[in-house]
Structure formats: C-alpha cells, structure tokens
Amino acid sequence: MADPDDQRCLSGLYHSLSDPTGYLKNWSTPSYLSSPCNGFTSILNGVTCNNGRVYKLSLSAHSLSGQISPSLSNCTNLQSLDLSSNELTGPIPFSISSLLNLAVLNLSANHLSGEIPPSLSLCAYLNVIDLHSNELTGQIPDQIGLLVRLSAFDVSNNKLSGPIPYLLANKSNGLGPRFNASSFAGNKELYGYPLPPMKNKGLSVLAIVFIGLGSGLVSLILSFTAVCIWLRVADQESSNPGEEGKISHLMPDY
C-alpha cells in the first residue's frame, strides 16, 4: 500500500514546478502519483524507492522553475534530495528540517534567495550540503557547524555576509580548515578563516597622505601670513619718530 505522506510530498512538489522539457510528464498520471513506489522501484522519473518509501529524488538539470514546495517535508524517509542546475527561485523551505533522515542536500546552481535556514542543523545525518551559485543572503548559521557528519559543504558564489562560523572554519587535527576557501569564495561580504579577515573600512593610506599634505600646506600658509603681518607692523613702528630701538622688542624669542 502506498504511503500517503509520500503521495502528498510528490504531489505538492509537482504542482509547484514548471516543467518545460516534460521530464515530469509521467508525474501527471494520478495513479502513478498516488502509488509512487513498488517495493524498491518507481515508475516516476527521478524517484528512487527503498522498501516502499521514497528514498531519493534526483531532478537535476531539467530546466525546472518555480519554488521548492514545503510539502517535501512529507517525504519523511528521504535521504537524498538533488534539485541542482535548474531555474528554481524563492527561499529554501524551513520545512526541509523535518527530513530527519536526509544525508545529501544539493540545491546548487539555481536562483534561490533568502537566508540559509538554521533549522537545517536538525538534519543530523547530513553529510553533504551544496548550495553554491545561488542568490542566498545573510550569514551562514552557526548551527550548521554542529553537523558532525558534514563532510562536504559549499556555499560559494552567493551573496552571503558576515563571519564564517568557527565550527566550519576550525582546523582539523591541526592540518588545515574543516572546509577550504573554495567552499566560501565568491561572497564579497563574507570574511574570516579560511578567507581573509574583515577588510579595514578606515581611511586608506592614500587618503591619510593627502590629509597630511593638506594640513602641512595650511600650516605653511598661516605661518607665512603671520610673518608678513609682523614685518608690516615692524615697518610701521620703525617709521614713527621717537620709537627707534623698539623693533628689537617686537622680534620673537627663539
């Protein structure tokens, strides 16, 4: 007997996507969608079953567009989700955190936006998270670093910002970072080991030089003006009768 949760999962996903290449054509057959698994096999394209339950969804590179349906949370036996290299938009659904058996999450090379859900850390069996080449924003959640099984992590070429979480950047056995710089590259506002530290937003060296030169020029002009005034006053004093010898009193002491 088909699992009703799997049926809801696949039906919601199918209706949330546009399929210009027709790859999901057989998903439109109600009888196939209502019974997606027959033991270890499935007639539905991109679906792999295990003991009568949806075990793997592989829908990579089929020009699928639309948003990822929250109904995916109903595929409670799902261990691998690959929707990479499509035209998907919108956020990563927080409901994915309900997939407690999930080991592989590949949503790379789409147009996904919004933040990475911190609740992904609830998927304790995750060992692959690939989100590269999207439009994700915000910081990488610290909680992701708590996934002790995580062996592959890639968020490169997004719009992420802030510091790289310590638990994702810490050195493994003193040999190097848990994930190297290529996992984080292409995010202009992201910083911290293994990427360079935060850029100093203070004055540049060139700006400091110009400020110094400007201050020196102003001081020179003021000094020159003061000397001119002093000479003019001295000249006037020396020209007055009975005032001889007083010029020496006007000279500054050095």
Side-chain angles (χ1 to χ4, degrees), residues 5-215:
D5 286 341
D6 285 348
Q7 179 185 351
R8 283 191 290 269
C9 167
L10 300 180
S11 177
L13 180 62
Y14 173 70
H15 289 101
S16 70
L17 300 176
S18 176
D19 176 30
T21 66
Y23 182 72
L24 301 180
K25 184 177 181 180
N26 64 354
W27 287 43
S28 63
T29 304
S31 59
Y32 293 168
L33 205 56
S34 61
S35 299
C37 292
N38 182 16
F40 292 87
T41 62
S42 176
I43 199 171
L44 297 178
N45 289 338
V47 177
T48 302
C49 296
N50 181 21
N51 199 25
R53 296 294 311 276
V54 174
Y55 165 79
K56 184 177 182 180
L57 283 176
S58 301
L59 303 176
S60 176
H62 293 293
S63 301
L64 300 173
S65 61
Q67 298 194 5
I68 301 174
S69 174
S71 69
L72 274 175
S73 61
N74 290 298
C75 283
T76 54
N77 202 52
L78 194 65
Q79 296 187 36
S80 178
L81 175 62
D82 185 357
L83 300 176
S84 63
S85 300
N86 284 295
E87 303 294 330
L88 302 176
T89 57
I92 299 172
F94 281 82
S95 59
I96 286 182
S97 61
S98 299
L99 302 176
L100 300 182
N101 294 307
L102 194 64
V104 176
L105 176 63
N106 190 351
L107 305 178
S108 63
N110 281 287
H111 304 286
L112 300 175
S113 57
E115 299 186 351
I116 300 172
S119 57
L120 282 180
S121 61
L122 297 176
C123 301
Y125 291 102
L126 272 172
N127 56 63
V128 175
I129 296 179
D130 192 350
L131 304 175
H132 81 264
S133 301
N134 279 288
E135 299 171 20
L136 300 171
T137 56
Q139 297 189 8
I140 301 173
D142 290 333
Q143 295 92 325
I144 300 297
L146 299 174
L147 293 168
V148 296
R149 296 172 182 258
L150 197 61
S151 59
F153 181 73
D154 192 347
V155 292
S156 60
N157 300 312
N158 278 281
K159 298 178 181 179
L160 299 169
S161 59
I164 294 174
Y166 172 77
L167 291 177
L168 291 176
N170 68 324
K171 296 183 178 181
S172 301
N173 299 321
L175 300 177
R178 183 178 178 189
F179 302 107
N180 61 33
S182 64
S183 295
F184 307 100
N187 295 278
K188 292 183 179 180
E189 301 298 323
L190 199 62
Y191 61 87
Y193 186 80
L195 294 181
M198 181 173 58
K199 294 179 180 179
N200 186 356
K201 295 185 179 180
L203 294 174
S204 67
V205 173
L206 190 59
I208 293 172
V209 169
F210 278 122
I211 291 172
L213 290 174
S215 299

